């Protein structure tokens, strides 16, 4: 098999160093060489790798399946690179040959920018100026996929699943405020839990001060790669000023409670742990000790056997106590409640630019803050 580059034949063969991981497949070898052969020409699509700002850190390699936690200052950019030469992953059919990229803020506002194959990292400063308030996703340079940057999703996670169509990805994480975040990438997408029923968690009163929570079990695609190991349940008594400011963010960028990373930043432990083997198509648990005149938030986090976690959407519950008299029944106090499930569209929809194809899977939910005095 031969390809032409600047008039010279480029022979696809297994002795080339860059092809060693692909020796058993001439076609895949050629795909790798093609990416390298056309690198110089693709560079000219934008300007050269300029824009080296003082507040941009040197690139760090992100390992497959790794969840890396970093602190970042406002108006700074941290660069990452991800490489994948896994022939087993590349040889799968189009349905299964995917990659997951997840950015979860623990606190603060962070945006994700991704570019495939071409070595220049995305340039967030080409489309964001914190000093003037300028933000325009259509002019972001060297960017194939990105977070929503118009302010409507500030503080929410970015999660998307795209086709594994490149061997290298160049990632920039930009901070609009001081922040901490978790960045993950994995090609074995069947190991990542997908929350059931869009993450809906329902709450029902079973008796005085007791509430039963119910949720659909997590799913996996493709099936057979992993399964749910355990569910963590959280019940949080909210402060009076803890208002939900937007469906995608709870409560606000400074106190993020709709990511697992935010949960670790704001709480010390779950209130209950449910073995996944005790569930069939749905799970439930009963929590007790709720107080009158309070607002509670409930949520569930699914953990797979491979150690990946995904939060459900959660629900809020307002409680009041009242005396109720009934014929031949002693006076008793009942819990009057209003249960409000959280909006399932609780994460950023990653945007695709430059005509790139993007398959989006939005799956994050509310993680809640424990009430403290």
């Amino acid at each position: 098999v031969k390809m032409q580059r600047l008039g010279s034949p480029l022979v696809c063969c297994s002795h080339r160093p860059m092809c060693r991981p692909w020796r058993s497949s001439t076609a895949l070898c050629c795909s790798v060489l093609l990416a390298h052969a056309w690198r110089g020409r693709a560079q000219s699509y934008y300007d050269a790798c300029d824009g080296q700002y003082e507040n941009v850190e040197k690139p760090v390699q992100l390992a497959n399946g790794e969840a890396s936690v970093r602190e970042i200052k406002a108006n700074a950019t941290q660069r990452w690179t991800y490489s994948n030469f896994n022939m087993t992953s590349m040889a799968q059919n189009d349905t299964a040959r995917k990659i997951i990229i997840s950015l979860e803020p623990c606190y603060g506002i962070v945006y994700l920018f991704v570019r495939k194959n071409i070595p220049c990292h995305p340039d967030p400063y080409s489309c964001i100026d914190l000093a003037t308030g300028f933000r325009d996703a259509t002019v972001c340079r060297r960017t194939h996929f990105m977070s929503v940057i118009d302010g409507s999703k500030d503080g929410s996670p970015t999660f998307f699943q795209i086709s594994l169509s490149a061997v290298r990805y160049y990632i920039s994480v930009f901070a609009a405020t001081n922040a901490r975040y978790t960045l993950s990438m994995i090609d074995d997408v069947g190991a990542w839990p997908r929350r059931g029923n869009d993450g809906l968690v329902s709450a029902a009163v079973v008796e005085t001060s007791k509430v039963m929570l119910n949720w659909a079990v997590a799913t996996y695609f493709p099936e057979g790669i992993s399964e749910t190991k355990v569910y963590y349940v959280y019940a949080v008594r909210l402060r009076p000023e803890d208002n939900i400011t937007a469906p995608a963010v709870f409560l606000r960028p400074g106190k993020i409670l709709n990511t697992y990373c935010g949960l670790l930043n704001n709480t010390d432990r779950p209130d209950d742990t449910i073995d996944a083997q005790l569930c069939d198509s749905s799970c439930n648990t009963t929590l007790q000790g709720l107080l009158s005149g309070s607002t509670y938030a409930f949520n569930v986090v699914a953990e797979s056997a491979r150690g990946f976690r995904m939060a459900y959407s959660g629900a809020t519950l307002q409680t009041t106590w009242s005396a109720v008299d009934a014929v031949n029944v002693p006076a008793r106090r009942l819990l009057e409640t209003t249960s409000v499930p959280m909006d399932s569209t609780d994460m950023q929809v990653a945007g695709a630019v430059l005509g790139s194809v993007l398959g989006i899977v939005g799956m994050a939910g509310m993680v809640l803050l424990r009430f403290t005095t």
Side-chain angles (χ1 to χ4, degrees):
V1 179
K2 293 185 178 182
M3 296 178 290
Q4 294 292 125
R5 180 190 182 193
L6 302 179
S8 301
L10 180 62
V11 181
C12 197
C13 52
S14 61
H15 73 270
R16 290 179 177 270
M18 68 182 69
C19 281
R20 286 171 185 165
W22 314 88
R23 286 180 177 175
S24 61
S25 174
T26 300
L28 287 175
C29 169
C30 289
S31 296
V32 176
L33 282 178
L34 184 62
H36 285 266
W38 287 91
R39 179 176 294 174
R41 184 169 298 182
Q43 286 278 23
S44 63
Y45 188 80
Y46 289 116
D47 296 335
C49 294
D50 55 358
Q52 280 297 124
Y53 308 95
E54 293 182 359
N55 48 352
V56 176
E57 298 184 17
K58 293 182 178 180
V60 176
Q61 183 71 29
L62 181 66
N64 187 50
E66 174 188 4
S68 183
V69 182
R70 296 284 298 275
E71 299 273 353
I72 186 171
K73 297 294 185 180
N75 204 38
T77 296
Q78 293 177 346
R79 290 178 170 178
W80 299 83
T81 58
Y82 172 85
S83 301
N84 193 313
F85 295 93
N86 187 332
M87 185 174 176
T88 301
S89 299
M90 285 290 188
Q92 296 184 84
N93 59 40
D94 292 342
T95 303
R97 193 177 65 250
K98 306 293 183 182
I99 188 170
I100 285 175
I101 308 176
S102 172
L103 176 69
E104 288 192 349
C106 310
Y107 66 84
I109 302 171
V110 287
Y111 302 129
L112 177 69
F113 301 82
V114 181
R115 192 185 199 190
K116 302 187 299 181
N117 272 335
I118 308 170
C120 290
H121 281 77
D123 180 10
Y125 303 101
S126 63
C127 53
I128 300 176
D129 188 332
L130 297 182
T132 63
F134 170 76
R135 299 188 185 193
D136 187 351
T138 64
V139 298
C140 293
R141 300 172 60 209
R142 302 193 291 270
T143 302
H144 288 126
F145 310 109
M146 61 184 295
S147 302
V148 176
I149 64 172
D150 62 6
S152 63
K153 303 283 188 178
D154 283 359
S156 63
T158 300
F159 179 98
F160 53 89
Q161 177 176 295
I162 60 177
S163 175
L164 180 56
S165 57
V167 295
R168 287 191 174 91
Y169 293 80
Y170 298 86
I171 303 162
S172 295
V173 176
F174 173 82
T177 64
N178 291 343
R180 180 191 299 142
Y181 66 88
T182 300
L183 178 65
S184 305
M185 292 185 68
I186 181 174
D187 63 350
D188 198 1
V189 298
W192 197 283
R194 321 295 178 106
R195 60 188 190 180
N197 195 24
D198 288 331
L200 178 65
V201 177
S202 61
V205 176
V206 292
E207 60 180 85
T208 300
S209 77
K210 292 185 179 181
V211 171
M212 176 181 288
L213 304 180
N214 184 274
W215 63 94
V217 297
T219 61
Y220 296 82
F221 183 83
E223 296 180 346
I225 305 298
S226 188
E227 60 184 2
T228 305
K229 176 183 176 181
V230 68
Y231 295 95
Y232 300 105
V233 182
Y234 298 87
V236 183
R237 185 184 177 200
L238 301 180
R239 294 175 179 273
E241 65 272 19
D242 284 343
N243 297 318
I244 300 173
T245 58
V249 185
F250 184 84
L251 300 169
R252 56 187 180 274
K255 189 185 289 185
I256 296 174
L257 307 171
N258 62 339
T259 69
Y260 181 68
C261 178
L263 173 65
L264 296 181
N265 189 60
N266 290 284
T267 65
D268 54 354
R269 59 175 177 79
D271 289 282
D272 199 4
T273 302
I274 308 298
D275 191 325
Q277 294 183 353
L278 301 177
C279 308
D280 42 36
S281 60
S282 64
C283 279
N284 65 76
T285 187
T286 300
L287 303 178
Q288 59 182 342
L290 277 71
L291 302 177
S292 176
S294 301
T295 300
Y296 288 86
F298 304 97
N299 199 39
V300 174
V301 175
E303 179 181 319
S304 74
R306 296 274 293 274
F308 298 103
R309 303 176 182 91
M310 177 60 73
Y312 278 57
S313 295
T316 60
L317 189 72
Q318 294 180 329
T319 65
T320 56
W321 296 100
S322 63
V324 178
D325 295 317
V327 178
N328 299 325
V329 178
R332 56 196 180 108
R333 301 181 69 82
L334 300 179
L335 184 64
E336 298 176 352
T337 66
T338 302
S339 180
V340 182
M342 298 309 301
D343 193 327
S344 62
T345 59
D346 50 0
M347 72 166 10
Q348 296 196 33
V349 176
V353 297
L354 308 178
S356 300
V357 177
L358 174 62
I360 300 171
V361 180
M363 301 177 303
M366 171 169 290
V367 184
L368 308 168
L369 177 66
R370 207 173 301 280
F371 180 84
T372 56
T373 58

